[in-house]
Protein backbone atom coordinates (compact mmCIF):
# COMPACT_ATOMS: atom_id res chain seq x y z
CA UNK A 1 0.00 0.00 0.00
CA UNK A 2 2.68 2.54 0.97
CA UNK A 3 4.60 2.15 -2.26
CA UNK A 4 1.78 3.86 -4.17
CA UNK A 5 1.03 7.54 -4.03
CA UNK A 6 -1.32 8.52 -1.20
CA UNK A 7 -3.58 10.19 -3.75
CA UNK A 8 -4.48 6.75 -5.12
CA UNK A 9 -5.38 5.23 -1.73
CA UNK A 10 -8.87 3.86 -1.21
CA UNK A 11 -10.84 4.29 2.02
CA UNK A 12 -9.54 0.84 3.04
CA UNK A 13 -5.95 1.96 2.44
CA UNK A 14 -6.49 5.07 4.56
CA UNK A 15 -8.02 2.91 7.28
CA UNK A 16 -4.97 0.62 7.26
CA UNK A 17 -2.66 3.66 7.36
CA UNK A 18 -4.55 5.04 10.37
CA UNK A 19 -4.36 1.69 12.18
CA UNK A 20 -0.65 1.29 11.34
CA UNK A 21 0.05 4.74 12.81
CA UNK A 22 -1.94 4.18 16.02
CA UNK A 23 -5.14 6.03 15.12
CA UNK A 24 -7.48 3.05 14.83
CA UNK A 25 -10.05 4.85 17.01
CA UNK A 26 -10.57 7.36 14.17
CA UNK A 27 -10.71 4.90 11.28
CA UNK A 28 -14.48 4.41 11.55
CA UNK A 29 -15.36 8.12 11.59
CA UNK A 30 -12.90 9.06 8.84
CA UNK A 31 -13.22 6.07 6.54
CA UNK A 32 -16.62 4.51 7.15
CA UNK A 33 -18.71 7.54 8.03
CA UNK A 34 -17.03 10.28 5.97
CA UNK A 35 -15.48 8.20 3.16
CA UNK A 36 -12.01 9.75 3.43
CA UNK A 37 -9.86 8.23 0.70
CA UNK A 38 -6.30 9.23 -0.19
CA UNK A 39 -7.26 12.33 -2.15
CA UNK A 40 -9.56 13.57 0.62
CA UNK A 41 -6.89 12.79 3.23
CA UNK A 42 -4.38 14.95 1.37
CA UNK A 43 -6.83 17.87 1.45
CA UNK A 44 -7.52 17.71 5.19
CA UNK A 45 -6.20 20.45 7.42
CA UNK A 46 -6.07 20.81 11.19
CA UNK A 47 -9.33 22.78 11.29
CA UNK A 48 -11.09 19.95 9.45
CA UNK A 49 -10.08 17.61 12.25
CA UNK A 50 -11.21 20.01 15.02
CA UNK A 51 -14.52 21.23 13.64
CA UNK A 52 -17.74 19.52 12.51
CA UNK A 53 -18.40 17.19 10.89
CA UNK A 54 -15.25 15.35 12.11
CA UNK A 55 -14.87 17.25 15.38
CA UNK A 56 -12.16 15.15 17.04
CA UNK A 57 -11.93 16.00 20.73
CA UNK A 58 -8.44 15.06 21.94
CA UNK A 59 -6.02 17.86 21.14
CA UNK A 60 -2.92 15.67 21.27
CA UNK A 61 -4.46 13.23 18.80
CA UNK A 62 -5.49 16.10 16.51
CA UNK A 63 -1.94 17.49 16.50
CA UNK A 64 -0.28 14.08 15.98
CA UNK A 65 -2.72 13.03 13.27
CA UNK A 66 -2.33 16.33 11.44
CA UNK A 67 1.46 16.01 11.67
CA UNK A 68 1.22 12.65 9.86
CA UNK A 69 -1.20 14.05 7.29
CA UNK A 70 0.99 17.10 6.63
CA UNK A 71 3.98 14.78 6.13
CA UNK A 72 1.97 12.91 3.50
CA UNK A 73 1.00 16.23 1.89
CA UNK A 74 4.63 17.31 1.75
CA UNK A 75 5.71 13.98 0.24
CA UNK A 76 2.90 14.18 -2.30
CA UNK A 77 3.97 17.70 -3.30
CA UNK A 78 7.56 16.49 -3.73
CA UNK A 79 6.36 13.77 -6.09
CA UNK A 80 4.46 16.29 -8.20
CA UNK A 81 7.29 18.85 -8.24
CA UNK A 82 9.21 16.58 -10.61
CA UNK A 83 6.32 16.42 -13.08
CA UNK A 84 5.66 19.29 -15.50
CA UNK A 85 2.60 17.96 -17.29
CA UNK A 86 -0.69 16.49 -16.19
CA UNK A 87 -0.83 12.71 -16.00
CA UNK A 88 -4.39 12.54 -17.28
CA UNK A 89 -3.97 13.26 -20.99
CA UNK A 90 -3.79 17.00 -20.44
CA UNK A 91 -6.82 17.10 -18.17
CA UNK A 92 -6.19 18.03 -14.54
CA UNK A 93 -7.11 15.58 -11.80
CA UNK A 94 -7.63 16.41 -8.12
CA UNK A 95 -4.02 15.38 -7.45
CA UNK A 96 -2.89 17.91 -10.04
CA UNK A 97 -4.99 20.55 -8.29
CA UNK A 98 -3.17 19.90 -5.02
CA UNK A 99 0.17 20.31 -6.79
CA UNK A 100 -0.82 23.47 -8.65
CA UNK A 101 -2.33 25.03 -5.55
CA UNK A 102 0.79 24.37 -3.48
CA UNK A 103 3.06 25.67 -6.25
CA UNK A 104 0.93 28.83 -6.49
CA UNK A 105 1.08 29.37 -2.72
CA UNK A 106 4.86 28.93 -2.76
CA UNK A 107 5.35 31.38 -5.62
CA UNK A 108 3.15 33.99 -3.92
CA UNK A 109 5.22 33.69 -0.73
CA UNK A 110 8.45 34.18 -2.67
CA UNK A 111 7.08 37.26 -4.45
CA UNK A 112 5.86 38.76 -1.17
CA UNK A 113 9.20 38.20 0.52
CA UNK A 114 11.17 39.57 -2.42
CA UNK A 115 8.98 42.67 -2.50
CA UNK A 116 9.96 43.50 1.07
CA UNK A 117 13.65 42.93 0.42
CA UNK A 118 13.84 45.32 -2.53
CA UNK A 119 13.74 48.40 -0.35
Amino acid sequence: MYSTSASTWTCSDVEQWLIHNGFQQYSKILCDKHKIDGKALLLLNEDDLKTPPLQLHILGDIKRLYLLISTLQTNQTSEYDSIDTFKTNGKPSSGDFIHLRRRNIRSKKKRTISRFHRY
Side-chain angles (χ1 to χ4, degrees), residues 27-76:
S27 65
K28 296 294 180 206
I29 190 169
L30 291 171
C31 300
D32 295 342
K33 186 174 182 184
H34 293 287
K35 309 292 185 220
I36 302 294
D37 61 4
K39 289 178 184 177
L41 183 69
L42 290 170
L43 292 171
L44 286 178
N45 60 47
E46 191 172 343
D47 286 336
D48 293 329
L49 299 174
K50 292 184 206 179
T51 58
L54 296 178
Q55 202 166 13
L56 305 183
H57 296 288
I58 301 171
L59 183 60
D61 286 353
I62 293 167
K63 296 292 187 179
R64 284 184 289 277
L65 180 55
Y66 182 66
L67 180 61
L68 282 173
I69 292 170
S70 64
T71 300
L72 275 179
Q73 291 168 337
T74 301
N75 292 342
Q76 186 73 24

Side-chain angles (χ1 to χ4, degrees), residues 77-94:
T77 301
S78 297
E79 290 175 23
Y80 280 114
D81 281 343
S82 63
I83 301 170
D84 291 329
T85 59
F86 295 120
K87 292 181 178 180
T88 54
N89 299 326
K91 297 178 184 174
S93 69
S94 60

Side-chain angles (χ1 to χ4, degrees), residues 107-108 110-119:
S107 65
K108 284 182 182 177
K110 287 178 185 173
R111 282 188 296 229
T112 303
I113 291 169
S114 64
R115 242 186 283 167
F116 289 117
H117 290 289
R118 286 185 192 162
Y119 301 105

